[in-house]
Amino acid sequence: MADRIDLVLRGGTVVTPSGRIRADVEIDDGRVVGLSAGEAPAPAREVIDVAGLTLLPGLIDTHTHLREPGQAHKEDIAHATRAAAAGGYTTVIGMPNTDPVTSTLERYREAISLYERSAYVDFNHFPSGALIEEIDGLAAAGAPGFKLFMVSGADLRQSGKGVGDSGHLFEAAEAIARTNLPMFVHGHDPALLGVIERRAWARGERDARAYAQAYAAFEGIVWDGPTSQLVRIQAATGVHLHVLHMKTGRMADIVRAAKAAGQHVTAEVNPVCLLIANDWANIERLGPYALSTYIGDGQSEPLWEAFRDGTIDVIGTDHAPHTRAEKEIGWTDMWKSAGGIPHLQETLPAFLTRVDRGELTLERLVEAGSAAPARVLGVYPRKGAILPGSDADIVAVDLDARATFREEDVLSKCGWSAFTGETFTGLPRLTLVRGSVVYRDGRVVGQPGFGRIVRRAAG
Ligand SMILES: [Zn+2]
């Protein structure tokens, strides 16, 4: 039987970088070995009929909070990567604001060992780039890039979570530039936000609405200034700057201009900013369950425009689960609550629904969800494409299927979703990681520990 390949996905429509084709996908030893259009596919040990389905390269999440180590009461790697498999995500990259913060080589290795034990899909994990002396060692150990928060307060600086001033940011950028890895920055101005927050508190306003309005104040001023500074530091250091949390039209203008000038800048949007937090009615209805941030009046259209025109390269889910108890207090005091919501499972069907409504093309979704993240991580086209030689990371979606997302569907450990009650058009039916089925027809069928680390090729 040595002349038979492992698997053929028969009869589907494949979204490739050069367009959609009707083709049978030939898979052997975890990789795509051929796309057979118009002729019989190679003999295979297993054939899965995907007639009527559309095959996309598995989505890659550059921004997942899996909460291990230290916060497993709200999420863990097994739950998050099961949700990923069900949501068509075949690679997730974790974020370092765990407990302890992933700021050293030793802690990075510990984090990776947790994924190796529990992950259902492929993975890597961003360490913090705040401890400059750690950067070279982390890069050599296989870190995919570095995450920096902008923080205020010596305690946060000492924890290695973030950078507290522009000097620290500059030195981190210089060191990261030498590694050729991307620098992912959550840029906001904590001192400026502090002034806006204290004014709200002085008025006695602490609920979810007040919190939303504080972040959105002055058309998102807390985001725009740091973006300019980041782009300027990129020009000085040559680092690959990846701007997280695109939220305003001015941020889009800054990034668009930097790209036009040839700077090595990429940008990422949290789907919540395009799908939920850009509508005040959702903030009123969901309160803390819609937050961390509100995209203020007038910002949604420029943000969507930047997403459609490619100024925003990447969808990073920012899947960020918290327990109901941690959220519930936010109705009265959002500053005692926790920002962030879960949606690794919901992101693909939510965007497919926008494709169905004609608000987005399927090709743009595949680019932002699969190909561009793979390029940012330096793993394209091994990941992020369905081409001969690529890993067989594939999600088969039924573009016409409709279902209302229910609370009992939620796979994240936190057990709730801002999307419950929404009817999606376009659903994942089958997810493969390296040629193995991890999700099929409503059930996660993969195994913990199946996921492998995804490293950029050397050189
Ligand atoms: Zn995040």
Side-chain angles (χ1 to χ4, degrees), residues 6 8 52 56 164 242 256 272 276 312:
D6 289 337
V8 167
L56 318 178
H242 186 76
R256 201 176 274 122
V272 173
I276 290 180
I312 294 171

Side-chain angles (χ1 to χ4, degrees), residues 63 65 95 147 149 186 245 318 320:
H63 194 145
H65 296 276
M95 282 292 174
K147 167 74 180 280
F149 289 88
H186 175 142
H245 298 294
D318 198 11

